Amino acid sequence: MQIVNKKRNTKETEISLIFNPKGSGNYKISTGIKFFDHMLEQFAYHGNFDIELNVNSIDKDNHHIVEDVAITLGQAFIESLEDKKGIKRYSDIILPMDEALVLAVVDISGRAFCKCSFNLADEKTSDFETVLLPHFYNSFAQNSLITLHIKQLDGFDTHHIIECSFKAFARALRGAIEVDKNKFDEVPSTKGIL
């Protein structure tokens, strides 16, 4: 595994990212969306990922910020795994946060797929539009070539449900990239590639 430096510059956003998949959960994050920063901090901490992320929004559109961060983060994540030798590949977790309960399941498969199931009562929490939540996960999955299922099992507080999902997602990714000590020099597939 390796540390990845990524830049993504468009007419909508300018993004710089340093991503370490085997860090200590350290982060320095500035996207311009306070609640999104908080969620990405949870992602870094619970995934044990070191993340330095800075976003300059040119068009001041939160949709483009969230999408472009997900694209950049997804690309950095899969690049950081190099040939994927030794990883466990699969991981799942059911994670609680007060009344909220979220299932996250990951397969680092080389096949991009995302299915999200949320029942969010609010259109917005703090400065974050909740319609952007599944968009973040889908954009990450498409760009990291992972299969991702995230499902809200319980909960009514929009903030709790979203935060619970980021923590669950991070922990599932963390588990999937753990090294299988019995197969540390193998790609975890009968095909020999992921």
Side-chain angles (χ1 to χ4, degrees):
M1 291 187 207
Q2 64 180 348
I3 296 171
V4 173
N5 287 270
K6 293 285 292 181
K7 290 193 184 302
R8 178 179 170 84
N9 295 322
T10 72
K11 292 179 179 178
E12 299 162 348
T13 61
E14 295 172 344
I15 295 176
S16 62
L17 170 68
I18 303 172
F19 180 81
N20 180 0
K22 284 295 186 182
S24 305
N26 296 317
Y27 51 81
K28 186 177 178 184
I29 294 169
S30 177
T31 67
I33 306 170
K34 183 176 66 172
F35 184 82
F36 190 40
D37 287 356
H38 179 45
M39 294 304 101
L40 293 172
E41 289 165 1
Q42 299 302 317
F43 176 75
Y45 181 82
H46 288 276
N48 268 359
F49 308 132
D50 290 345
I51 296 175
E52 285 187 39
L53 172 67
N54 189 67
V55 179
N56 176 34
S57 176
I58 296 165
D59 65 2
K60 308 305 180 193
D61 187 327
N62 285 2
H63 181 279
H64 294 146
I65 294 170
V66 171
E67 179 179 56
D68 287 353
V69 166
I71 289 168
T72 309
L73 199 53
Q75 290 172 349
F77 174 78
I78 203 64
E79 285 177 31
S80 75
L81 302 184
E82 299 179 280
D83 61 10
K84 305 177 200 74
K85 280 188 179 177
I87 66 168
K88 290 185 177 177
R89 176 179 167 178
Y90 298 98
S91 184
D92 61 85
I93 189 168
I94 297 174
L95 190 133
M97 181 175 170
D98 300 341
E99 90 298 341
L101 193 66
V102 173
L103 166 71
V105 182
V106 169
D107 175 12
I108 300 174
S109 60
R111 296 184 304 278
F113 181 82
C114 179
K115 184 171 183 183
C116 294
S117 178
F118 295 106
N119 182 19
L120 302 173
D122 303 307
E123 291 183 4
K124 202 168 187 182
T125 183
S126 184
D127 57 347
F128 184 82
E129 297 140 303
T130 56
V131 70
L132 298 177
L133 181 66
H135 188 54
F136 171 83
Y137 290 126
N138 185 60
S139 296
F140 186 103
Q142 292 298 318
N143 285 276
S144 60
L145 301 177
I146 65 170
T147 294
L148 172 64
H149 292 260
I150 299 187
K151 185 173 187 178
Q152 175 191 341
L153 302 178
D154 208 345
F156 56 81
D157 184 300
T158 299
H159 184 133
H160 289 172
I161 295 162
I162 295 173
E163 185 168 341
C164 191
S165 78
F166 270 88
K167 291 175 178 176
F169 178 47
R171 295 237 170 204
L173 283 179
R174 175 178 165 181
I177 68 170
E178 282 181 3
V179 173
D180 185 338
K181 292 179 178 147
N182 295 320
K183 297 184 178 182
F184 65 91
D185 200 32
E186 293 180 26
V187 174
S189 171
T190 56
K191 295 177 185 177
I193 62 165
L194 287 176

